[in-house]
Amino acid sequence: MTEQLDAGAYNFAYLDEQTKRMIRRAILKAIAVPGYQVPFASREMPMPYGWGTGGVQVTAACLVPEDRLKVIDQGADDTTNAVSIRRFFQRTAGVATTEATAEATVIQTRHRIPETPLKAGQILVYQVPIPEPLRFLEPRETETRKMHALEEYGLMHVKLYEDIARHGQIATSYAYPVRVEGRYVMDPSPIPKFDNPKLGNNPAIQLFGAGREQRIYALPPWSRVESLDFDDHPFRPSKAPHRCDLCGAGHSYLDEVITDDAGGRMFVCSDTDFCAGRRARGHRGRLAAEASAPPPHPSPTRGEGGAPSDGLAQGGAALASPPPRGEGLGAGGAGPEGTA
Amino acid sequence: MTAHALQGGFAEAPVQSARAFREILEAMARPGTIRRVAGAEPPSPLSVAAGVALLTLCDPTTGLHLAGAADCPAVRDWVAFHIGAPLVAAEVADFALGTWEALQPVSRFRIGQPDYPDRSATLIVESERLVNHGPALTGPGIETATWLNLPETAAFRANRALFPLGFDCLFTAGDRIAGLPRSTRVEKI
Amino acid sequence: MYVAVKGGERAIDNAHGWLAEERRGDRAVPELTIPQIREQMTLAVNRVMAEGSLYDPDLAALAIKQARGDLIEAIFLIRAYRTTLPRLAGSRPVDTAAMAVDRRISATFKDLPGGQVLGPTFDYTHRLLDFALMAEAEPPTPLPSPRGGGEVPGAAAGQEAPPSPLVEEGWGGGPPRVPHVTGFLNRDGLIEAAPSSGATPPDLTRAPMELPADRALRLQALARGDEGFLLGLAYSTQRGYGRTHAFVGELRIGRVAVEVEIPELGFAVEIGEIELTECETVNQFKGSKTEPPQFTRGYGLVMGQSERKAIAMSLVDRALRWQDLGEDFTGAPAQDEEFVLMHCDNIQATGFLEHIKLPHYVDFQAELELVRRLRAEAETMPEAAE
């Protein structure tokens, strides 16, 4: 779809100026009232609702030609939807892109906060599916709006307490609700609760865009952000109790990869830039040293027509789709005939 | 309409307004920091920064209140030509522009409603100069504390007491701009 | 040594190449042209225009071709395109009483001014596959059917009746003016009045949805809403979930002029005409202590010939009006404004539904870790778990 976007056919960063002004006004109000969801007239974007349209609109309203944009999904730069969004902005805004967290000025993310600490001058834009933290307790917008207005968050505490009664602990592992500056309860988007401590006291500007739900909210730098908890059940960020099998990191969030059909698995950093950086500096994990038959890094794209052709083990080949039948479209990977 | 009204807008709006917004965003997100903007040449008595803020944020969907000396034919014509914002009374304005004195009493501006605190005014306050000296500012966007030469403290303390309601301010002087959202706590000098 | 796989970009390119091939299908079969789709898949084109909120048959046909006939995908293409268009002017309200009708039926009166006109309807076709259409050659034209034909005054079956005496001639040779059925009822006070407020209706393409919504905003949302969703809701009201006893007072399909006020000229100029389907239902309403019994109204207006959608819309509109009319909320889905308005847009719905196929490794891993930990703790404390 994005191939049709010729430079010059659309305005800088795709959106028309009036739309950008509307979004910019919403962003400024969101900054002024941290954690409050500002309604905005979300536009139909050339990508589906639920696939980052809110984040894309916020990014489009913030980008300047001098920016270096990084786009990640699940912490990885190479997941298909991250690739698609990055291409969209390369074509419509002509901005430089990067995979290095430290070099990026604007980072659009889905489901993760990068491991590398952010700094002043950076903007982190979150894609948000359901911005309302109370939505699963009360489906009506008319009701949840009142609850925010009255600072009536008892329902949320009841829910968390019921978790404790049933499971002995709070059974929310991602999209873990936070309280911002002691006022608004906010959904941090479906980041793992491991990432929650990075929300507060962060030198970067954090903006949250929910396109389908037509909401923008924000955390100014250095905001006070507390994950909801109880004195006798304090918030505890968690991750799989392993080290990264590639870079050996013991303090990064991990993806689990099934390596065979017999219970074999490996754990790798979900933040691909962080992991690659550590390996470039010589860090090695449990499986990285087995140079003879290295396990392939899991392709975030599941190898759809893009299986590697550089002699690596083809562990994912069985999952690969058949290559296109057209001339010159074959990806050089293992096709059906190769796996039959 | 004067000939001057046709000049002084953004020559390349998409890029100039993008750069201007980033500066305004940084200013509002880090209260007290002083940023520089460029690209507008509004008629007297408007500062460059005030002109840039209007071009970047206002349009025919936002009511604008011009206060005091800013409410003059040259400015009205310039706004009509470049921005198209309807000129409205202070009580219903989305944006208001003038010196701190001209904007008084600021209690007349919209502060939003409990269920929609975003429906509040943004005041563009024309100032003689902006320096990081004066009342201390703390709160969201500020690591420890910072300082800004605000015209007074009582009005901003009263505004903070309304939080999450309240108006938000952009201070402009020449090509400089600083932000003071309602969330900032202002200490007496 | 480990090398990260960089498959994303190439995988996307290959998927798009493959998609283009699949769209074209067997190259031995001639490619569809846009005029063919526009002229022969008209009702699909109409649905795409209605739910895409853009009246442009050629672009709708293009979208259908590009989307391989997936109408929701085509609607999406149109929505994404329309949002980039500058808004040059707002039209004056269209006058549906001045519609040049191709079809106009009333289920409430046997005959009425303007007549009953069946028009090009499937209604009385026997749903038998017409294998003649499979033949490559053009089938013989069965009957001449000029626009405005097919009139059945009196709905008297099988009779060749003369044109209804109640059909008025239009002014200046224009189409006959066809007054609304609800107007006749209104004259006697038998139906609730529906005066124009004169207010500019809200526009949910330019302002976020705000609840509670007024009727104009609800109607806009329903007019763009998914036909299937509205059909199901309307059907549920007929089966008792928010029943409103609807009669089709009138259903009309035809072309109306679109006029735009030119400030410099001081008068309105016709810029074209569009095809619309309008449905007005007459619904029962028991009077209250303060009001004598009166019929009430449901309204549907859809771009193009989209009569199932227009009827469904008017039933849902009526069900949503329970509060205005002092009725009880029975908990029926069709009465629930927030439920209906927040879920009737198929572009929002399909995007969010389909997004769950995107990677969720991170949140799933968080759940996995939690469940493993809870299980481990439960196993070490068998007594406590009882």
Side-chain angles (χ1 to χ4, degrees):
Chain A
M1 169 193 342
T2 47
E3 284 87 341
Q4 297 156 11
L5 297 174
D6 306 320
Y10 286 90
N11 199 23
F12 173 74
Y14 184 75
L15 297 171
D16 61 279
E17 288 306 294
Q18 188 166 345
T19 298
K20 279 192 269 189
R21 276 192 296 271
M22 175 270 294
I23 296 170
R24 287 166 179 163
R25 289 191 294 263
I27 291 172
L28 292 183
K29 288 300 175 191
I31 286 285
V33 192
Y36 165 73
Q37 305 161 50
V38 180
F40 83 112
S42 174
R43 297 294 196 250
E44 266 126 350
M45 300 299 288
M47 55 198 66
Y49 284 118
W51 298 52
T53 56
V56 164
Q57 289 179 80
V58 169
T59 297
C62 288
L63 278 182
V64 296
E66 297 75 28
D67 271 320
R68 278 185 309 281
L69 176 68
K70 173 181 167 81
V71 183
I72 51 174
D73 189 335
Q74 314 297 301
D77 298 89
D78 196 39
T79 33
T80 39
N81 202 42
V83 168
S84 171
I85 290 170
R86 187 164 55 239
R87 279 186 172 188
F88 177 75
F89 283 117
Q90 280 173 320
R91 283 167 198 203
T92 58
V95 293
T97 61
T98 181
E99 297 191 0
T101 300
E103 289 172 14
T105 51
V106 176
I107 302 172
Q108 181 166 327
T109 182
R110 178 167 170 263
H111 295 189
R112 277 308 312 274
I113 299 176
E115 306 287 359
T116 305
L118 302 177
K119 57 196 182 197
Q122 291 183 311
I123 300 176
L124 183 61
V125 179
Y126 296 75
Q127 301 173 200
V128 182
I130 302 275
E132 177 51 71
L134 306 167
R135 183 61 70 235
F136 299 109
L137 308 172
E138 168 53 64
R140 283 176 198 281
E141 159 72 12
T142 38
E143 291 301 314
T144 53
R145 184 162 288 280
K146 268 183 234 159
M147 291 156 80
H148 284 294
L150 300 171
E151 214 172 337
E152 178 54 67
Y153 296 127
L155 201 57
M156 181 64 90
H157 283 99
V158 169
K159 190 266 172 195
L160 297 178
Y161 199 79
E162 281 175 356
D163 273 4
I164 293 170
R166 180 174 303 174
H167 303 293
Q169 55 189 283
I170 294 172
T172 299
S173 60
Y174 63 93
Y176 191 104
V178 296
R179 188 106 187 229
V180 180
E181 291 286 335
R183 179 57 180 83
Y184 286 98
V185 168
M186 185 191 99
D187 181 314
S189 88
I191 57 173
K193 68 177 180 176
F194 173 84
D195 281 340
N196 271 30
K198 301 176 204 161
L199 291 163
N201 232 16
N202 194 318
I205 295 174
Q206 298 173 80
L207 303 176
F208 299 76
R212 188 179 41 77
E213 297 279 340
Q214 306 188 307
R215 299 290 184 270
I216 287 172
Y217 52 104
L219 294 173
W222 312 111
S223 291
R224 187 157 57 87
V225 179
E226 290 141 346
S227 300
L228 299 185
D229 62 1
F230 299 94
D231 288 341
D232 50 346
H233 284 90
F235 171 79
R236 204 180 62 182
S238 62
K239 62 181 274 285
H242 301 278
R243 290 182 163 273
C244 173
D245 285 328
L246 296 178
C247 78
H251 54 281
S252 74
Y253 194 75
L254 300 173
D255 277 341
E256 179 174 339
V257 181
I258 311 284
T259 52
D260 59 35
D261 195 358
R265 58 170 59 93
M266 64 186 286
F267 289 89
V268 295
C269 291
S270 109
D271 185 333
T272 48
D273 169 59
F274 176 77
C275 192
R278 278 179 55 84
R279 278 179 279 122
R281 291 193 300 276
H283 296 282
R284 290 289 177 273
R286 182 173 64 95
L287 298 174
E290 297 170 25
S292 54
H297 191 281
S299 165
T301 61
R302 287 170 291 182
E304 292 135 348
S309 56
D310 45 10
L312 286 181
Q314 295 289 326
L319 288 171
S321 306
R325 283 165 284 177
E327 291 297 318
L329 289 168
E337 58 273 59
T339 54
Chain B
M1 182 170 287
T2 59
H4 189 75
L6 308 181
Q7 299 156 11
F10 285 147
E12 203 191 339
V15 170
Q16 285 176 303
S17 62
R19 291 190 182 119
F21 174 69
R22 273 293 271 283
E23 296 301 323
I24 295 170
L25 173 62
E26 287 286 342
M28 197 61 109
R30 302 174 199 280
T33 57
I34 299 165
R35 316 284 304 192
R36 299 177 77 157
V37 291
E41 289 172 38
S44 176
L46 263 53
S47 65
V48 166
V52 167
L54 291 180
L55 288 170
T56 305
L57 299 175
C58 298
D59 59 33
T61 67
T62 55
L64 172 65
H65 177 74
L66 296 174
D71 187 20
C72 62
V75 172
R76 275 186 246 130
D77 286 351
W78 190 79
V79 166
F81 183 77
H82 292 281
I83 294 159
L87 299 181
V88 299
E91 290 73 14
V92 295
D94 297 301
F95 289 86
L97 173 68
T99 62
W100 185 245
E101 293 72 29
L103 290 166
Q104 298 305 314
V106 289
S107 58
R108 57 196 171 136
F109 293 105
R110 295 197 310 161
I111 57 170
Q113 305 138 228
D115 49 348
Y116 289 99
D118 54 304
R119 295 179 179 175
S120 59
T122 301
L123 312 184
I124 301 170
V125 186
E126 291 273 48
S127 314
E128 282 292 310
R129 61 196 186 108
L130 287 174
V131 289
N132 288 121
H133 182 75
L137 315 181
T138 57
I142 302 165
E143 183 174 11
T144 50
T146 186
W147 296 266
L148 189 68
N149 60 325
L150 298 175
E152 63 166 295
T153 58
F156 302 106
R157 292 167 65 87
N159 192 45
R160 177 65 182 79
L162 299 170
F163 188 86
L165 306 188
F167 55 78
D168 307 302
C169 295
L170 288 168
F171 292 91
T172 49
D175 65 352
R176 280 144 205 267
I177 192 162
L180 191 82
R182 71 194 81 174
S183 59
T184 303
R185 295 172 199 87
V186 176
E187 303 293 329
K188 284 179 189 165
I189 309 167
Chain C
M1 201 53 242
Y2 168 81
V3 180
V5 173
K6 297 284 179 193
E9 303 232 357
R10 203 167 36 161
I12 289 175
D13 287 340
N14 288 344
H16 290 181
W18 197 349
L19 176 66
E21 287 228 337
E22 289 289 325
R23 185 197 63 70
R24 178 59 184 84
D26 184 350
R27 288 180 182 271
V29 177
E31 181 163 12
L32 271 174
T33 66
I34 300 303
Q36 282 173 345
I37 298 170
R38 187 192 63 222
E39 297 301 320
Q40 297 174 43
M41 293 285 137
T42 317
L43 299 187
V45 167
N46 285 345
R47 182 172 174 196
V48 170
M49 293 197 302
E51 293 171 33
S53 302
L54 183 70
Y55 196 92
D56 190 319
D58 285 312
L59 289 183
L62 168 62
I64 290 167
K65 176 174 176 174
Q66 186 179 333
R68 305 175 61 195
D70 178 337
L71 295 190
I72 291 182
E73 185 67 28
I75 290 161
F76 185 9
L77 288 168
I78 292 297
R79 290 271 191 95
Y81 175 75
R82 87 181 282 289
T83 199
T84 66
L85 299 175
R87 187 160 302 194
L88 303 176
S91 77
R92 294 178 56 174
V94 293
D95 180 6
T96 53
M99 178 185 279
V101 295
D102 288 342
R103 172 162 167 76
R104 191 280 188 114
I105 53 168
S106 169
T108 50
F109 295 101
K110 188 172 182 184
D111 198 7
L112 65 171
Q116 301 255 19
V117 182
L118 268 190
T121 176
F122 289 120
D123 283 355
Y124 305 104
T125 62
H126 294 151
R127 269 57 169 203
L128 303 171
L129 279 176
D130 181 358
F131 292 100
L133 291 175
M134 273 186 111
E136 292 292 321
E138 188 86 0
T141 311
L143 282 171
S145 57
R147 280 190 176 269
E151 189 180 314
V152 283
Q159 284 181 6
E160 273 303 319
S164 167
L166 300 179
V167 176
E168 296 173 32
E169 282 303 314
W171 305 300
R177 204 167 165 83
V178 184
H180 287 103
V181 167
T182 48
F184 308 138
L185 293 168
N186 195 29
R187 195 172 302 159
D188 303 328
L190 285 168
I191 193 164
E192 56 167 327
S196 164
S197 72
T200 302
D203 183 351
L204 59 79
T205 69
R206 294 278 149 163
M209 172 88 73
E210 188 179 333
L211 299 167
D214 66 10
R215 191 178 179 200
L217 186 62
R218 290 197 304 250
L219 288 171
Q220 189 194 4
L222 297 179
R224 295 160 48 95
D226 182 73
E227 179 175 316
F229 182 80
L230 295 189
L231 172 64
L233 281 174
Y235 177 49
S236 73
T237 69
Q238 292 181 293
R239 290 196 65 260
Y241 289 82
R243 187 148 186 239
T244 62
H245 307 271
F247 297 98
V248 173
E250 168 158 5
L251 177 74
R252 57 172 70 191
I253 302 174
R255 283 151 292 125
V256 296
V258 177
E259 296 179 330
V260 168
E261 206 90 52
I262 308 291
E264 287 81 359
L265 299 180
F267 55 84
V269 172
E270 182 178 327
I271 58 166
E273 60 175 23
I274 60 174
E275 187 180 43
L276 293 176
T277 303
E278 182 185 52
C279 178
E280 288 187 284
T281 53
V282 177
N283 304 70
Q284 202 172 351
F285 172 49
K286 294 189 180 76
S288 66
K289 280 174 187 157
T290 53
E291 289 176 73
Q294 257 186 335
F295 291 110
T296 57
R297 299 167 185 255
Y299 188 71
L301 185 71
V302 187
M303 283 183 195
Q305 182 174 343
S306 307
E307 91 181 47
R308 181 186 303 120
K309 166 84 176 277
I311 299 170
M313 178 176 168
S314 55
L315 263 61
V316 175
D317 167 53
R318 176 60 185 80
L320 288 171
R321 298 183 61 217
W322 62 272
Q323 210 157 16
D324 310 341
L325 299 169
E327 297 169 344
D328 291 332
F329 177 70
T330 63
Q335 287 183 310
D336 188 329
E337 170 179 286
E338 182 161 349
F339 179 82
V340 173
L341 298 190
M342 297 306 272
H343 302 122
C344 67
D345 188 292
N346 52 24
I347 301 308
Q348 293 178 359
T350 201
F352 198 53
L353 179 95
E354 295 193 50
H355 108 282
I356 63 173
K357 67 195 174 191
L358 286 178
H360 285 76
Y361 320 136
V362 162
D363 17 348
F364 183 70
Q365 188 60 38
E367 289 285 89
L368 205 53
E369 190 268 330
L370 176 67
V371 170
R372 281 179 180 144
R373 188 151 40 79
L374 291 175
R375 287 173 62 86
E377 285 169 15
E379 278 166 23
T380 55
M381 299 184 297
E383 257 91 292
E386 300 264 323

